[in-house]
């Protein structure tokens, strides 16, 4: 889910699916598929699409703020565990 959130954030910030794809180093069809899956998962349209790109819907604006926090927390958690000594990582 983190990757889908990152793609959604990139689309919102870049204003296009192509821009999001470029930022995330994936193809535009793959970015669109991930965003469509994310919208299906949450049950609402997050981005309004047009010939000129995308912009956040009202729901998307709210979700964007939360997505930024979720991704930041996930990245912080990953950074914390990668600094643990190897013995702490064993079960």
């Amino acid at each position: 889910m983190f990757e889908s959130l990152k793609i959604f954030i990139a689309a919102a910030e870049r204003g296009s699916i192509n821009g999001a794809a470029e930022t995330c180093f994936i193809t535009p069809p793959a970015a669109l598929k991930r965003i469509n899956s994310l919208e299906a998962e949450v049950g609402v349209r997050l981005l309004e699409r047009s010939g000129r790109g995308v912009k956040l819907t009202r729901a998307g604006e709210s979700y964007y703020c939360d997505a930024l926090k979720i991704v930041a927390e996930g990245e912080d958690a990953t950074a914390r565990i990668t600094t643990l000594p190897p013995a702490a990582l064993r079960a």
Side-chain angles (χ1 to χ4, degrees), residues 10-71:
E13 292 176 350
R14 298 281 306 266
S16 74
I17 301 296
N18 288 345
E22 185 178 300
T23 298
C24 298
F25 305 104
I26 61 174
T27 65
L32 182 59
K33 184 175 182 179
R34 295 296 286 270
I35 290 170
N36 287 340
S37 293
L38 180 62
E39 289 177 327
E41 186 176 336
V42 299
V44 296
R45 178 76 68 187
L46 300 171
L47 296 170
E48 183 179 310
R49 294 139 174 93
S50 73
R52 292 194 257 176
V54 298
K55 68 178 188 173
L56 293 168
T57 63
R58 190 174 244 162
E61 290 174 9
S62 175
Y63 199 77
Y64 172 79
C65 293
D66 293 332
L68 288 172
K69 294 174 193 171
I70 292 165
V71 169

